[in-house]
């Protein structure tokens, strides 16, 4: 099974940032829909994987930061770290 971002992230207004490791190869459409306070999406990948739906970021104004080194990013409150298809509690 390929790691993917779970739908539980959508409709979660208290999330302010998301970290997506390079191992996440599938993201479905509208995954960050109605995450009104989401400002930053940090991705280890240098660009969008082929398995990511083209509408994954629809209705979201967050900035996507590609090619991130997670060791250098300080986790802020209300950050979701995606790992093996599960979300951290916020």
């Amino acid at each position: 099974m390929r790691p993917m971002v779970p739908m539980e992230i959508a409709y979660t207004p208290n999330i302010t940032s998301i970290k997506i490791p390079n191992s996440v190869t599938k993201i479905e459409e509208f995954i960050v829909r109605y995450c009104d306070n989401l400002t930053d999406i940090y991705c280890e990948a240098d660009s969008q994987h082929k398995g990511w739906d083209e509408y994954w970021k629809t209705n979201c104004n967050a900035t996507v930061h590609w090619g991130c080194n997670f060791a250098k990013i300080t986790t802020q409150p209300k950050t979701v770290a995606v790992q093996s298809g599960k979300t951290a509690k916020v």
Side-chain angles (χ1 to χ4, degrees), residues 2-21:
R2 296 184 305 177
M4 65 180 285
V5 176
M7 278 301 295
E8 290 86 16
I9 291 175
Y11 305 99
T12 310
N14 60 333
I15 294 174
T16 58
S17 63
I18 298 174
K19 292 180 180 180
I20 304 175

PDB file of all heavy atoms in Angstrom, residues 2-21:
ATOM      1  N   ARG A   2       0.545   2.192  -0.866  1.00  0.00           N
ATOM      2  CA  ARG A   2       1.325   3.415  -0.954  1.00  0.00           C
ATOM      3  C   ARG A   2       0.894   4.406   0.121  1.00  0.00           C
ATOM      4  O   ARG A   2      -0.294   4.577   0.364  1.00  0.00           O
ATOM      5  CB  ARG A   2       1.145   4.060  -2.319  1.00  0.00           C
ATOM      6  CG  ARG A   2       1.655   3.219  -3.434  1.00  0.00           C
ATOM      7  CD  ARG A   2       1.545   3.921  -4.738  1.00  0.00           C
ATOM      8  NE  ARG A   2       0.171   4.374  -4.993  1.00  0.00           N
ATOM      9  CZ  ARG A   2      -0.188   5.069  -6.057  1.00  0.00           C
ATOM     10  NH1 ARG A   2       0.693   5.404  -6.957  1.00  0.00           N
ATOM     11  NH2 ARG A   2      -1.433   5.429  -6.233  1.00  0.00           N
ATOM     12  N   PRO A   3       1.866   5.086   0.763  1.00  0.00           N
ATOM     13  CA  PRO A   3       1.492   6.092   1.738  1.00  0.00           C
ATOM     14  C   PRO A   3       0.710   7.215   1.071  1.00  0.00           C
ATOM     15  O   PRO A   3       1.052   7.658  -0.008  1.00  0.00           O
ATOM     16  CB  PRO A   3       2.835   6.606   2.252  1.00  0.00           C
ATOM     17  CG  PRO A   3       3.821   5.548   1.923  1.00  0.00           C
ATOM     18  CD  PRO A   3       3.305   4.895   0.673  1.00  0.00           C
ATOM     19  N   MET A   4      -0.356   7.668   1.732  1.00  0.00           N
ATOM     20  CA  MET A   4      -1.145   8.753   1.184  1.00  0.00           C
ATOM     21  C   MET A   4      -1.630   9.674   2.290  1.00  0.00           C
ATOM     22  O   MET A   4      -1.645   9.301   3.448  1.00  0.00           O
ATOM     23  CB  MET A   4      -2.331   8.214   0.380  1.00  0.00           C
ATOM     24  CG  MET A   4      -3.335   7.454   1.205  1.00  0.00           C
ATOM     25  SD  MET A   4      -4.699   6.832   0.203  1.00  0.00           S
ATOM     26  CE  MET A   4      -5.608   8.331  -0.083  1.00  0.00           C
ATOM     27  N   VAL A   5      -2.012  10.873   1.904  1.00  0.00           N
ATOM     28  CA  VAL A   5      -2.557  11.831   2.861  1.00  0.00           C
ATOM     29  C   VAL A   5      -4.015  11.469   3.092  1.00  0.00           C
ATOM     30  O   VAL A   5      -4.780  11.336   2.155  1.00  0.00           O
ATOM     31  CB  VAL A   5      -2.443  13.267   2.314  1.00  0.00           C
ATOM     32  CG1 VAL A   5      -3.104  14.240   3.255  1.00  0.00           C
ATOM     33  CG2 VAL A   5      -0.992  13.637   2.099  1.00  0.00           C
ATOM     34  N   PRO A   6      -4.422  11.301   4.346  1.00  0.00           N
ATOM     35  CA  PRO A   6      -5.804  10.914   4.636  1.00  0.00           C
ATOM     36  C   PRO A   6      -6.771  12.088   4.514  1.00  0.00           C
ATOM     37  O   PRO A   6      -6.406  13.238   4.697  1.00  0.00           O
ATOM     38  CB  PRO A   6      -5.722  10.424   6.080  1.00  0.00           C
ATOM     39  CG  PRO A   6      -4.583  11.182   6.650  1.00  0.00           C
ATOM     40  CD  PRO A   6      -3.596  11.370   5.524  1.00  0.00           C
ATOM     41  N   MET A   7      -8.026  11.787   4.216  1.00  0.00           N
ATOM     42  CA  MET A   7      -9.051  12.812   4.054  1.00  0.00           C
ATOM     43  C   MET A   7      -9.368  13.552   5.351  1.00  0.00           C
ATOM     44  O   MET A   7     -10.009  14.585   5.326  1.00  0.00           O
ATOM     45  CB  MET A   7     -10.337  12.197   3.506  1.00  0.00           C
ATOM     46  CG  MET A   7     -10.323  12.002   2.006  1.00  0.00           C
ATOM     47  SD  MET A   7     -10.076  13.525   1.067  1.00  0.00           S
ATOM     48  CE  MET A   7     -11.556  14.448   1.460  1.00  0.00           C
ATOM     49  N   GLU A   8      -8.942  13.046   6.498  1.00  0.00           N
ATOM     50  CA  GLU A   8      -9.246  13.713   7.766  1.00  0.00           C
ATOM     51  C   GLU A   8      -8.668  15.125   7.840  1.00  0.00           C
ATOM     52  O   GLU A   8      -9.058  15.922   8.664  1.00  0.00           O
ATOM     53  CB  GLU A   8      -8.733  12.897   8.962  1.00  0.00           C
ATOM     54  CG  GLU A   8      -9.501  11.621   9.195  1.00  0.00           C
ATOM     55  CD  GLU A   8      -8.979  10.459   8.367  1.00  0.00           C
ATOM     56  OE1 GLU A   8      -7.854  10.531   7.836  1.00  0.00           O
ATOM     57  OE2 GLU A   8      -9.712   9.473   8.240  1.00  0.00           O
ATOM     58  N   ILE A   9      -7.716  15.448   6.976  1.00  0.00           N
ATOM     59  CA  ILE A   9      -7.134  16.788   6.974  1.00  0.00           C
ATOM     60  C   ILE A   9      -8.142  17.803   6.441  1.00  0.00           C
ATOM     61  O   ILE A   9      -8.251  18.909   6.936  1.00  0.00           O
ATOM     62  CB  ILE A   9      -5.833  16.822   6.152  1.00  0.00           C
ATOM     63  CG1 ILE A   9      -4.756  16.029   6.885  1.00  0.00           C
ATOM     64  CG2 ILE A   9      -5.371  18.254   5.926  1.00  0.00           C
ATOM     65  CD1 ILE A   9      -3.461  15.895   6.122  1.00  0.00           C
ATOM     66  N   ALA A  10      -8.914  17.418   5.432  1.00  0.00           N
ATOM     67  CA  ALA A  10      -9.906  18.325   4.858  1.00  0.00           C
ATOM     68  C   ALA A  10     -10.918  18.716   5.933  1.00  0.00           C
ATOM     69  O   ALA A  10     -11.239  17.933   6.823  1.00  0.00           O
ATOM     70  CB  ALA A  10     -10.613  17.664   3.685  1.00  0.00           C
ATOM     71  N   TYR A  11     -11.380  19.937   5.854  1.00  0.00           N
ATOM     72  CA  TYR A  11     -12.379  20.463   6.781  1.00  0.00           C
ATOM     73  C   TYR A  11     -11.858  20.583   8.208  1.00  0.00           C
ATOM     74  O   TYR A  11     -12.613  20.474   9.164  1.00  0.00           O
ATOM     75  CB  TYR A  11     -13.661  19.615   6.766  1.00  0.00           C
ATOM     76  CG  TYR A  11     -14.258  19.464   5.399  1.00  0.00           C
ATOM     77  CD1 TYR A  11     -14.035  18.311   4.652  1.00  0.00           C
ATOM     78  CD2 TYR A  11     -15.018  20.475   4.842  1.00  0.00           C
ATOM     79  CE1 TYR A  11     -14.570  18.171   3.380  1.00  0.00           C
ATOM     80  CE2 TYR A  11     -15.558  20.345   3.569  1.00  0.00           C
ATOM     81  CZ  TYR A  11     -15.331  19.190   2.848  1.00  0.00           C
ATOM     82  OH  TYR A  11     -15.860  19.055   1.596  1.00  0.00           O
ATOM     83  N   THR A  12     -10.562  20.792   8.376  1.00  0.00           N
ATOM     84  CA  THR A  12      -9.964  20.971   9.700  1.00  0.00           C
ATOM     85  C   THR A  12      -9.434  22.396   9.781  1.00  0.00           C
ATOM     86  O   THR A  12      -8.287  22.659   9.421  1.00  0.00           O
ATOM     87  CB  THR A  12      -8.829  19.948   9.934  1.00  0.00           C
ATOM     88  OG1 THR A  12      -9.311  18.643   9.625  1.00  0.00           O
ATOM     89  CG2 THR A  12      -8.352  19.989  11.370  1.00  0.00           C
ATOM     90  N   PRO A  13     -10.251  23.337  10.250  1.00  0.00           N
ATOM     91  CA  PRO A  13      -9.876  24.739  10.193  1.00  0.00           C
ATOM     92  C   PRO A  13      -8.739  25.144  11.118  1.00  0.00           C
ATOM     93  O   PRO A  13      -8.145  26.198  10.930  1.00  0.00           O
ATOM     94  CB  PRO A  13     -11.167  25.467  10.568  1.00  0.00           C
ATOM     95  CG  PRO A  13     -11.933  24.483  11.380  1.00  0.00           C
ATOM     96  CD  PRO A  13     -11.582  23.135  10.814  1.00  0.00           C
ATOM     97  N   ASN A  14      -8.393  24.339  12.115  1.00  0.00           N
ATOM     98  CA  ASN A  14      -7.348  24.746  13.059  1.00  0.00           C
ATOM     99  C   ASN A  14      -5.934  24.366  12.629  1.00  0.00           C
ATOM    100  O   ASN A  14      -4.970  24.711  13.296  1.00  0.00           O
ATOM    101  CB  ASN A  14      -7.639  24.192  14.459  1.00  0.00           C
ATOM    102  CG  ASN A  14      -7.712  22.682  14.488  1.00  0.00           C
ATOM    103  OD1 ASN A  14      -8.032  22.052  13.493  1.00  0.00           O
ATOM    104  ND2 ASN A  14      -7.449  22.103  15.627  1.00  0.00           N
ATOM    105  N   ILE A  15      -5.761  23.699  11.506  1.00  0.00           N
ATOM    106  CA  ILE A  15      -4.426  23.354  11.008  1.00  0.00           C
ATOM    107  C   ILE A  15      -3.790  24.598  10.393  1.00  0.00           C
ATOM    108  O   ILE A  15      -4.415  25.285   9.592  1.00  0.00           O
ATOM    109  CB  ILE A  15      -4.493  22.233   9.962  1.00  0.00           C
ATOM    110  CG1 ILE A  15      -4.968  20.934  10.599  1.00  0.00           C
ATOM    111  CG2 ILE A  15      -3.138  22.023   9.297  1.00  0.00           C
ATOM    112  CD1 ILE A  15      -5.205  19.826   9.604  1.00  0.00           C
ATOM    113  N   THR A  16      -2.540  24.885  10.767  1.00  0.00           N
ATOM    114  CA  THR A  16      -1.848  26.041  10.203  1.00  0.00           C
ATOM    115  C   THR A  16      -0.749  25.651   9.223  1.00  0.00           C
ATOM    116  O   THR A  16      -0.365  26.446   8.379  1.00  0.00           O
ATOM    117  CB  THR A  16      -1.247  26.925  11.311  1.00  0.00           C
ATOM    118  OG1 THR A  16      -0.356  26.141  12.102  1.00  0.00           O
ATOM    119  CG2 THR A  16      -2.341  27.507  12.193  1.00  0.00           C
ATOM    120  N   SER A  17      -0.224  24.433   9.333  1.00  0.00           N
ATOM    121  CA  SER A  17       0.788  23.978   8.387  1.00  0.00           C
ATOM    122  C   SER A  17       0.780  22.455   8.306  1.00  0.00           C
ATOM    123  O   SER A  17       0.294  21.777   9.210  1.00  0.00           O
ATOM    124  CB  SER A  17       2.186  24.487   8.765  1.00  0.00           C
ATOM    125  OG  SER A  17       2.592  23.979  10.007  1.00  0.00           O
ATOM    126  N   ILE A  18       1.302  21.956   7.199  1.00  0.00           N
ATOM    127  CA  ILE A  18       1.366  20.511   6.963  1.00  0.00           C
ATOM    128  C   ILE A  18       2.760  20.183   6.457  1.00  0.00           C
ATOM    129  O   ILE A  18       3.323  20.920   5.648  1.00  0.00           O
ATOM    130  CB  ILE A  18       0.338  20.066   5.909  1.00  0.00           C
ATOM    131  CG1 ILE A  18      -1.088  20.353   6.376  1.00  0.00           C
ATOM    132  CG2 ILE A  18       0.484  18.582   5.584  1.00  0.00           C
ATOM    133  CD1 ILE A  18      -2.140  20.076   5.323  1.00  0.00           C
ATOM    134  N   LYS A  19       3.312  19.073   6.942  1.00  0.00           N
ATOM    135  CA  LYS A  19       4.580  18.551   6.434  1.00  0.00           C
ATOM    136  C   LYS A  19       4.279  17.247   5.706  1.00  0.00           C
ATOM    137  O   LYS A  19       3.707  16.329   6.279  1.00  0.00           O
ATOM    138  CB  LYS A  19       5.557  18.276   7.572  1.00  0.00           C
ATOM    139  CG  LYS A  19       6.045  19.504   8.282  1.00  0.00           C
ATOM    140  CD  LYS A  19       7.012  19.095   9.392  1.00  0.00           C
ATOM    141  CE  LYS A  19       7.529  20.280  10.146  1.00  0.00           C
ATOM    142  NZ  LYS A  19       8.461  19.859  11.209  1.00  0.00           N
ATOM    143  N   ILE A  20       4.663  17.173   4.431  1.00  0.00           N
ATOM    144  CA  ILE A  20       4.426  15.969   3.636  1.00  0.00           C
ATOM    145  C   ILE A  20       5.776  15.382   3.220  1.00  0.00           C
ATOM    146  O   ILE A  20       6.494  15.986   2.424  1.00  0.00           O
ATOM    147  CB  ILE A  20       3.581  16.284   2.390  1.00  0.00           C
ATOM    148  CG1 ILE A  20       2.251  16.947   2.797  1.00  0.00           C
ATOM    149  CG2 ILE A  20       3.329  15.001   1.586  1.00  0.00           C
ATOM    150  CD1 ILE A  20       1.406  17.400   1.623  1.00  0.00           C
ATOM    151  N   PRO A  21       6.130  14.205   3.772  1.00  0.00           N
ATOM    152  CA  PRO A  21       7.415  13.596   3.415  1.00  0.00           C
ATOM    153  C   PRO A  21       7.405  13.077   1.984  1.00  0.00           C
ATOM    154  O   PRO A  21       6.346  12.869   1.378  1.00  0.00           O
ATOM    155  CB  PRO A  21       7.555  12.450   4.414  1.00  0.00           C
ATOM    156  CG  PRO A  21       6.175  12.134   4.845  1.00  0.00           C
ATOM    157  CD  PRO A  21       5.387  13.403   4.740  1.00  0.00           C
TER     158      PRO A  21
END
